[in-house]
Amino acid sequence: MRIETLIKEVYETQLLVKEARLQYLQAQINPHFMFNVLTMIAIKVKKHRDEELYQTVTSFAGLMRGKLFRRNEVEIKLKEEMEIAGFYLYLQSERFKDIITYNIEWESDEIKECYVPRLCIEPIVENAVIHGLEPKGTEGRIRVAIREASEDSINIVVEDDGVGFNVNEMDDRKDNKNPRVGVMNIQRLIRNLYGDKYGVLFQSEIGKGTIVTVCLPMRKDRTV
């Protein structure tokens, strides 16, 4: 009886492992399925000439593609990173119609080809909306400026006129619910990749807004 029990337990364990693997594969497939469906919807919307809805659907699809489908890439081109950030800003500006406005300014097209850490700007833009403009409750603006800082470095400046916060109270040791923890993780990633010369700088004043400057090397090839 003991042998039969052990055989049964091993068999059941194998089934559980097989089921877990299947669920994992399904989890990998679902985001792609979602993106394909969104693309199909966008095409149908385009045919009916609803440009606003078409832009909304394609922006959401692009945002999901950028956040979910490129996990193995540590670095991507800056123009691709800003495209992801742009999708997010567009969707939020549509959600908060006539309340949230934004603009993205490029100093030159050459900068667009530089490689940067994937999702190093989009979370900062997201913070500006969620923790800067939304609590404000009135009309707000986000400005993203990308420019050369020196011959070998670039600055991406994310500026909002939201509620602001006390920079002295920032602490990356707090739990993950802290809105600044994700940004401090970006800080660590940048310095691990490129050294302490680069990173994230905060300037903020309560009631007036926040400026986040991301300093990165000007690289036309991947570091990793």
Side-chain angles (χ1 to χ4, degrees), residues 58-166:
T58 53
S59 293
F60 179 69
L63 180 64
M64 291 299 98
R65 179 175 56 197
K67 290 175 81 73
L68 296 177
F69 300 159
R70 305 184 69 170
R71 291 179 179 176
N72 293 329
E73 294 180 70
V74 178
E75 295 171 302
I76 61 177
K77 288 187 177 182
L78 182 53
K79 64 181 180 182
E80 296 170 330
E81 174 65 19
M82 290 311 306
E83 184 179 47
I84 298 170
F87 288 144
Y88 177 82
L89 286 170
Y90 175 82
L91 291 168
Q92 289 290 42
S93 68
E94 285 296 297
R95 178 187 172 199
F96 298 99
K97 207 76 170 178
D98 301 322
I99 295 179
I100 291 180
T101 58
Y102 71 95
N103 62 298
I104 299 173
E105 304 167 3
W106 293 90
E107 185 179 64
S108 70
D109 288 337
E110 182 183 1
I111 303 176
K112 296 179 180 181
E113 301 300 317
C114 294
Y115 279 92
V116 301
R118 187 179 75 91
L119 298 181
C120 68
I121 305 300
E122 191 277 338
I124 294 173
V125 166
E126 197 170 322
N127 261 2
V129 173
I130 296 173
H131 303 293
L133 298 188
E134 283 192 34
K136 184 178 179 180
T138 57
E139 187 176 339
R141 175 185 59 84
I142 291 178
R143 173 176 173 264
V144 185
I146 305 104
R147 54 178 179 258
E148 290 187 25
S150 66
E151 290 184 358
D152 60 354
S153 65
I154 56 176
N155 281 349
I156 301 101
V157 182
V158 180
E159 180 179 356
D160 70 74
D161 60 355
V163 297
F165 67 99
N166 188 340

Side-chain angles (χ1 to χ4, degrees), residues 177-224:
K177 295 180 181 180
N178 187 298
R180 316 298 168 195
V181 168
V183 177
M184 299 314 294
N185 287 339
I186 295 171
Q187 173 87 295
R188 283 191 287 269
L189 174 61
I190 291 173
R191 290 187 171 174
N192 284 341
L193 287 174
Y194 312 123
D196 291 344
K197 178 181 176 182
Y198 305 99
V200 185
L201 175 67
F202 288 90
Q203 298 170 266
S204 188
E205 188 173 347
I206 294 176
K208 293 191 175 181
T210 301
I211 299 174
V212 182
T213 302
V214 182
C215 182
L216 295 165
M218 188 182 298
R219 303 183 64 91
K220 295 300 177 65
D221 54 358
R222 287 186 172 92
T223 303
V224 291

